[in-house]
């Protein structure tokens, strides 16, 4: 006699899968960027965001791509090989991420964006 799955078992498996899909990528990025997350969070808390002054954080990913986050917009080369500060006024609440050369709202969004290029 074969024992069938009950509706409770199906619901439990569905809940576990939903939690894994919801928090799995976040947990993976936190683990992947664990050292950078802490350093960037601490540094970003002290950024003053003064006019005509760019503060940022840069590092080279495992695949050789340089990743950068800044308080001000930069002019970015088509291949993301350079990002030049042009004197733009810092955004008081957001972060400019290279690559791809776009604004994001939170530190977590920085790592979500970088994950596509690393």
């Amino acid at each position: 006699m074969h024992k069938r799955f009950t509706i409770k078992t199906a619901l439990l498996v569905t809940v576990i899968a939903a939690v894994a899909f919801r928090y799995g990528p976040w947990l993976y990025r936190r683990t992947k960027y664990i050292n950078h997350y802490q350093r960037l969070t601490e540094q970003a808390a002290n950024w003053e965001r003064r006019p005509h002054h760019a503060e940022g954080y840069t590092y080279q990913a495992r695949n050789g791509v340089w990743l950068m986050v800044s308080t001000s917009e930069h002019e970015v080369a088509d291949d993301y090989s350079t990002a030049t500060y042009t004197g733009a006024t810092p955004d008081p609440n957001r972060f400019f991420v290279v690559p791809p050369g776009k604004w994001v709202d939170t530190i977590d969004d920085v790592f979500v964006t970088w994950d596509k290029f690393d």
Side-chain angles (χ1 to χ4, degrees), residues 23-40:
Y23 295 104
W26 177 84
L27 206 65
Y28 169 74
R29 277 190 298 278
R30 281 290 176 99
T31 304
K32 180 178 178 181
Y33 297 110
I34 191 163
N35 296 327
H36 299 289
Y37 188 88
Q38 182 178 357
R39 277 186 252 148
L40 178 56

Side-chain angles (χ1 to χ4, degrees), residues 66 76-83 98:
W66 284 95
V76 181
D78 290 340
D79 63 354
Y80 309 118
S81 60
T82 59
V98 176

Side-chain angles (χ1 to χ4, degrees), residues 26-114:
W26 177 84
L27 206 65
Y28 169 74
R29 277 190 298 278
R30 281 290 176 99
T31 304
K32 180 178 178 181
Y33 297 110
I34 191 163
N35 296 327
H36 299 289
Y37 188 88
Q38 182 178 357
R39 277 186 252 148
L40 178 56
T41 303
E42 290 171 2
Q43 284 184 15
N46 295 321
W47 288 345
E48 295 181 20
R49 299 176 186 257
R50 296 176 295 173
H52 306 291
H53 181 77
E55 294 185 87
Y57 179 84
T58 304
Y59 84 98
Q60 190 172 18
R62 293 175 297 193
N63 64 2
V65 173
W66 284 95
L67 304 172
M68 183 191 82
V69 60
S70 177
T71 57
S72 298
E73 188 169 351
H74 286 64
E75 191 172 294
V76 181
D78 290 340
D79 63 354
Y80 309 118
S81 60
T82 59
T84 309
Y85 176 60
T86 58
T89 303
D91 188 295
N93 301 312
R94 298 185 303 161
F95 303 94
F96 191 76
V97 182
V98 176
K102 73 173 191 174
W103 289 100
V104 297
D105 295 322
T106 66
I107 298 291
D108 285 325
D109 292 342
V110 170
F111 291 107
V112 168
T113 305
W114 278 350

